[in-house]
Amino acid sequence: IGNETGGLKPTQSTNCLTGLKNIGNTCYMNAALQALSNCPPLTQFFLDCGGLARTDKKPAICKSYLKLMTDLWHKSRPGSVVPTNLFQGIKTLNPTFRGYSQQDAQEFLRCLMDLLHEELKEPVMEIEDTHSTSIEESMEEDKSQSDIDFQSCESCDSSDKAENESGSRPFSEDHAEATMLIQDVENHFLTTKDWQKEKTLCNNKTLLLEKFSCAVIQISVADYISDVHMTDLSGLQSPPSNEGVNTRLSTSPPKSAESKVTLRTLFNHFYFCLFILVPTVSSPKKKKHKKYKSVISDIFDGTIISSVQCLTCDRVSVTLETFQDLSLPIPGKEDLAKLHSASHQTSLVKAGSCGEAYAPQGWIAFFVEYFKRFVVSCVPSWFWGPIVTLQDCLAAFFARDELKGKLRNGVKFCKVQNFPEILCIHLKRFRHELMFSTKIGTHVSFPLEGLDLQPFVAKDSPAQIVTYDLLSVICHHGTASSGHYIAYCRNNLNNLWYEFDDQSVTEVPESTVQNAEAYVLFYRKSNEEARRERQRVSSLLTVMEASLLQFYISRQWLNKFKTFAEPGPISNNDFLCIHGGVLPHKAGFIEDLVVMLPQNIWDTLYSRYGGGPAVNHLYVCHTCQIEAEKTEKRRKTELEMFIRLNRAFQEEESLSIFYCISMQWFREWEGFVKGKDSDPPGPIDNTKIAVTKCSNVILKQGADSGQISEETWNFLHSIYGGGPEIMLRPPVAPVDLDVLQTEDKIELETRSL
């Protein structure tokens, strides 16, 4: 339990010195896998909790990764391993990695972690009060539209072309000129109960209404008398300091500059301030908030609190963003000067790449810029100026970002709210543009121990440990068009550094690691107190004390205790239901989920970490079993009825009408009735496939939809509700007029008889 090395069993190999064979330009994958393999929390999960690597999804990436980790860390390990199964599975799901071309290690990391998360994730149901939610939960629930219009805390340019696939939540910059923070009035949210009280909101809205009324009167009179220049509300330039974030509404009137303002402009600004930046008050009510978590999110997920301030009226909107890695710019000379100058600390603005200009104007400037970057990439970085540190890159990333729109400007700044157990840092060395790609060869110095992130902690962050030690670093040698990846990893058992170059593994001194051209770095939280606690618990195992009670504890939490700097409270909810019994669908492999502890060990852990609940007896919950049987019966009934109705629909030769249904909703329903998803889908949602024309709802051209019969629609709608209804009538074949008249005559004669 308390192995001070981080939980690796003594029976395993004392050194993970197994290489990975290159199977066709796969050095990027080998370096990424070796870096992940030397992250103890993740590797130990697969070695100790391998029974949790269960999935019905194909091609079962988690099982392939489990097999690979077992081979790498087995005591009778081979000299090298061929990761064929894992690579084939990833290629099946992601076409990017097919073929034999060189790929980006950061892209591969994001893809692999996303796939593992999707296969291992489990729903976490929480019942919360909207007036007592934490800042993280309340802001996660409703994201502001500023995440689209003015996003700067993104993790972009992973080799700068994988940003739309990343787990670090990249954002688009195409809407930079759109109206800031425009969002439906119905979707406003309460940022936090400490910052926005109902009384304050009402008073501030009343104040805004009074100011708006006065301004309208002033403009109307001025326009009637003569065409004069009024105060332009968009001229305000008073951003807050980087250290404090104050979301209370400003009581001081905005500063002004001379320009012409119209009634329409003033109304737009009034609407923006009243309904967008000022959150509305939600009625206190209980609601279910469903989340998903996995070992990937437990280890790598962190959160950034991001604030956007309108420079017109000083209003501030706050959102929370989840990240799995931080993509940091590499500052150039000018940026370093600003970062290191105290006179610029309050006016620092982060550029897109926080480096030299990457937007040359004209063909001459284009070729000059290309030539300059080519020369820079070929000449050692020491020739060009001062050394860039990892702290400089972090400071550039968290620097405030100017946001410019058509009607108003803003400024965005961010801090870290919650730190991950393992921090993945990606240095943006590659730029892929229209006609060329370049690589920034600047050497970035980084600490092997004691990376201090205190300057980037949010004011109200609950984080207690903000110091990190380096675990592994992925390096790229070469140019943007070709190169080779290797990894330097610190072995967790002997604290020695090794170079992993495909199937070759070599011990290296620390100086070699520090001089490496880092591309991706993995840092782990440093906590000596947690190490001492593990030693103390381990020593208790040698005490032969009779125990009257045995306690069951989650194997997954025990892995956190052995490898996390902050394991958090004991949580047995990964195998218990809300009634205290074992979840019925986990009863068959309960031995893989729990570990039995003597009473003295349980008492020590419980007194130190709290949580629970305490479990002395394992039994299958009868209540959940009945609910599971009802759900299974419902699945079977709905599936059989749909098959019967759809078969009749297919056999019918002439249809007068049929209905369209969203395939996105249908896939969710299909996953439920086939047992892949535990929860049924919500109401039928056809809004994404429907368009209204002349008050009629019709099918959007090219929409992702399916066709079902009227009976099938009525059946599904009677259970789930929703809509809107989208009906289509098949075209009727033209009928010969003479034949129609003959048939009418025969019908008349028949009626007369």
Side-chain angles (χ1 to χ4, degrees):
I1 292 176
N3 193 317
E4 60 179 316
T5 61
L8 292 176
K9 298 178 181 178
T11 56
Q12 292 171 332
S13 170
T14 56
N15 297 303
C16 178
L17 303 180
T18 305
L20 294 172
K21 287 187 177 181
N22 194 311
I23 51 179
N25 220 2
T26 58
C27 60
Y28 67 92
M29 176 183 69
N30 293 343
L33 290 175
Q34 293 288 11
L36 281 181
S37 172
N38 284 274
C39 293
L42 181 62
T43 298
Q44 199 60 40
F45 169 83
F46 281 94
L47 295 180
D48 274 359
C49 310
L52 300 180
R54 298 171 178 269
T55 182
D56 295 329
K57 300 178 180 179
K58 301 297 181 181
I61 299 297
C62 63
K63 294 182 180 179
S64 299
Y65 189 80
L66 168 63
K67 177 65 167 58
L68 179 62
M69 291 299 103
T70 304
D71 293 341
L72 288 178
W73 287 90
H74 197 272
K75 60 182 179 180
S76 59
R77 52 171 170 59
S80 61
V81 175
V82 185
T84 305
N85 291 338
L86 179 64
F87 188 43
Q88 291 296 334
I90 291 177
K91 288 196 297 183
T92 301
L93 298 173
N94 193 329
T96 303
F97 302 103
R98 297 173 187 172
Y100 296 95
S101 60
Q102 179 68 274
Q103 301 295 335
D104 184 74
Q106 175 68 0
E107 288 185 48
F108 179 83
L109 279 170
R110 287 177 173 177
C111 175
L112 176 59
M113 290 196 292
D114 283 346
L115 293 175
L116 290 175
H117 171 73
E118 286 299 318
E119 291 185 355
L120 298 175
K121 69 179 182 181
E122 291 189 348
V124 179
M125 297 298 296
E126 297 180 358
I127 300 179
E128 59 186 24
D129 192 313
T130 55
H131 270 240
S132 61
T133 55
S134 65
I135 180 174
E136 293 88 351
E137 294 168 338
S138 61
M139 287 189 295
E140 277 180 351
E141 181 183 345
D142 292 298
K143 294 282 187 178
S144 170
Q145 188 67 22
S146 61
D147 291 341
I148 298 177
D149 295 337
F150 295 100
Q151 197 56 248
S152 65
C153 293
E154 78 277 22
S155 179
C156 62
D157 289 339
S158 167
S159 86
D160 299 359
K161 61 183 178 180
E163 55 187 348
N164 291 330
E165 304 172 352
S166 73
S168 54
R169 290 41 169 184
F171 305 96
S172 171
E173 297 178 357
D174 295 336
H175 307 278
E177 295 184 353
T179 304
M180 183 163 62
L181 292 172
I182 296 302
Q183 176 179 324
D184 293 339
V185 178
E186 295 82 7
N187 295 331
H188 306 324
F189 60 94
L190 190 63
T191 55
T192 171
K193 65 176 183 178
D194 295 328
W195 293 346
Q196 299 289 353
K197 300 293 184 180
E198 181 177 1
K199 182 177 179 180
T200 305
L201 292 173
C202 295
N203 291 340
N204 284 320
K205 287 190 177 183
T206 303
L207 180 61
L208 281 173
L209 283 169
E210 293 174 353
K211 289 185 177 181
F212 176 68
S213 302
C214 296
V216 169
I217 295 173
Q218 292 174 5
I219 289 180
S220 300
V221 173
D223 288 342
Y224 179 79
I225 298 175
S226 63
D227 187 10
V228 296
H229 290 282
M230 299 296 291
T231 300
D232 182 9
L233 295 178
S234 64
L236 177 65
Q237 299 290 336
S238 58
S241 65
N242 243 351
E243 296 301 323
V245 178
N246 183 10
T247 59
R248 292 188 176 88
L249 298 176
S250 173
T251 56
S252 60
K255 299 178 182 178
S256 62
E258 296 228 2
S259 81
K260 187 171 182 177
V261 65
T262 63
L263 183 60
R264 178 181 179 85
T265 303
L266 186 63
F267 178 78
N268 288 338
H269 174 71
F270 163 74
Y271 176 85
F272 167 75
C273 296
L274 181 61
F275 293 107
I276 305 304
L277 287 178
V278 182
T280 57
V281 180
S282 304
S283 58
K285 59 180 180 180
K286 296 281 185 177
K287 61 179 180 181
K288 288 187 177 181
H289 185 64
K290 187 175 182 180
K291 297 181 180 179
Y292 288 92
K293 74 168 188 174
S294 71
V295 63
I296 299 296
S297 61
D298 287 344
I299 296 174
F300 295 99
D301 273 12
T303 51
I304 286 179
I305 185 169
S306 143
S307 304
V308 177
Q309 183 194 26
C310 174
L311 295 183
T312 303
C313 60
D314 288 344
R315 306 301 188 264
V316 177
S317 176
V318 182
T319 57
L320 205 69
E321 303 159 11
T322 303
F323 68 90
Q324 282 188 350
D325 60 63
L326 295 178
S327 282
L328 307 184
I330 301 177
K333 287 184 180 180
E334 296 179 359
D335 300 293
L336 283 176
K338 292 181 180 180
L339 288 169
H340 296 160
S341 174
S343 61
H344 290 82
Q345 287 299 315
T346 58
S347 60
L348 183 64
V349 176
K350 180 177 61 177
S353 65
C354 201
E356 298 163 315
Y358 282 102
Q361 302 296 325
W363 284 103
I364 296 178
F366 175 83
F367 285 111
V368 169
E369 182 67 21
Y370 179 79
F371 177 75
K372 184 174 71 172
R373 272 185 263 175
F374 175 77
V375 174
V376 169
S377 64
C378 296
V379 179
S381 59
W382 55 262
F383 181 82
W384 295 99
I387 295 177
V388 179
T389 66
L390 188 58
Q391 285 285 345
D392 293 332
C393 299
L394 287 164
F397 177 84
F398 288 102
R400 289 185 293 179
D401 192 11
E402 281 189 346
L403 311 173
K404 295 183 179 180
K406 291 181 179 179
L407 299 178
R408 61 194 63 84
N409 296 328
V411 62
K412 179 171 182 176
F413 43 95
C414 55
K415 296 283 186 178
V416 180
Q417 180 73 11
N418 291 310
F419 287 89
E421 181 66 27
I422 290 183
L423 175 64
C424 179
I425 296 178
H426 163 231
L427 298 178
K428 299 199 286 187
R429 292 194 175 275
F430 299 101
R431 294 289 299 181
H432 298 278
E433 300 184 23
L434 182 61
M435 298 183 61
F436 58 88
S437 297
T438 57
K439 178 185 176 183
I440 302 175
T442 304
H443 175 72
V444 178
S445 63
F446 51 89
L448 300 185
E449 295 180 349
L451 175 64
D452 186 13
L453 300 181
Q454 184 63 43
F456 315 110
V457 180
K459 181 179 179 181
D460 298 323
S461 171
Q464 297 180 351
I465 300 176
V466 294
T467 305
Y468 284 78
D469 296 334
L470 186 65
L471 285 175
S472 55
V473 54
I474 300 174
C475 304
H476 179 269
H477 302 298
T479 64
S481 57
S482 63
H484 182 63
Y485 285 97
I486 64 172
Y488 294 104
C489 305
R490 182 177 64 86
N491 189 284
N492 196 53
L493 296 176
N494 58 17
N495 284 327
L496 297 178
W497 285 92
Y498 294 88
E499 177 189 87
F500 293 86
D501 186 354
D502 287 335
Q503 64 186 44
S504 174
V505 183
T506 309
E507 183 181 343
V508 294
E510 291 184 353
S511 59
T512 301
V513 181
Q514 289 178 317
N515 293 327
E517 188 175 306
Y519 180 48
V520 181
L521 304 103
F522 287 89
Y523 278 91
R524 180 187 186 185
K525 276 184 179 179
S526 175
N527 188 359
E528 287 299 323
E529 183 181 352
R531 187 186 300 271
R532 290 193 296 268
E533 185 67 21
R534 286 192 288 265
Q535 291 176 343
R536 188 168 74 91
V537 173
S538 180
S539 64
L540 292 177
L541 293 174
T542 61
V543 179
M544 301 300 295
E545 180 179 341
S547 178
L548 297 178
L549 290 176
Q550 300 290 328
F551 289 81
Y552 295 96
I553 194 171
S554 165
R555 188 183 295 270
Q556 192 167 353
W557 184 88
L558 201 57
N559 176 67
K560 289 184 178 181
F561 170 73
K562 292 189 292 184
T563 59
F564 278 42
E566 296 178 299
I570 297 173
S571 176
N572 288 331
N573 294 325
D574 57 344
F575 66 91
L576 294 179
C577 68
I578 59 175
H579 310 106
V582 176
L583 291 165
H585 66 282
K586 294 186 176 181
F589 52 95
I590 187 63
E591 64 278 358
D592 295 332
L593 305 178
V594 300
V595 174
M596 184 180 291
L597 298 179
Q599 182 177 340
N600 61 331
I601 300 294
W602 166 262
D603 290 342
T604 301
L605 293 176
Y606 182 76
S607 62
R608 173 67 177 82
Y609 297 102
V615 181
N616 301 112
H617 174 64
L618 297 175
Y619 63 95
V620 179
C621 178
H622 180 67
T623 303
C624 291
Q625 183 69 40
I626 294 176
E627 291 297 324
E629 292 174 357
K630 290 181 179 179
T631 302
E632 187 61 30
K633 183 178 180 180
R634 173 183 172 178
R635 287 192 178 107
K636 183 178 179 181
T637 302
E638 290 186 20
L639 182 60
E640 290 179 350
M641 179 61 72
F642 176 83
I643 293 175
R644 183 170 64 83
L645 293 175
N646 190 59
R647 184 182 296 115
F649 175 59
Q650 299 297 330
E651 293 175 353
E652 191 170 350
E653 296 182 357
S654 59
L655 291 171
S656 59
I657 190 174
F658 55 83
Y659 284 69
C660 295
I661 192 168
S662 168
M663 286 304 299
Q664 180 178 351
W665 181 89
F666 184 82
R667 294 185 193 100
E668 295 178 3
W669 174 81
E670 185 180 19
F672 168 68
V673 296
K674 290 184 176 180
K676 297 180 180 179
D677 295 330
S678 58
D679 296 327
I684 299 173
D685 184 8
N686 280 345
T687 55
K688 293 183 179 180
I689 66 170
V691 61
T692 303
K693 288 187 178 181
C694 301
S695 301
N696 294 324
V697 179
I698 62 176
L699 181 66
K700 184 186 300 182
Q701 186 175 4
D704 184 19
S705 63
Q707 299 174 356
I708 58 177
S709 66
E710 182 178 6
E711 291 78 9
T712 306
W713 169 265
N714 292 334
F715 168 69
L716 294 175
H717 191 267
S718 65
I719 299 174
Y720 296 98
E725 293 184 353
I726 305 176
M727 295 179 290
L728 293 180
R729 299 182 184 275
V732 180
V735 181
D736 191 350
L737 187 59
D738 295 337
V739 175
L740 185 61
Q741 291 176 351
T742 303
E743 291 179 352
D744 292 340
K745 290 180 180 180
I746 295 174
E747 186 179 358
L748 288 175
E749 294 177 356
T750 303
R751 289 181 179 177
S752 63
L753 291 174

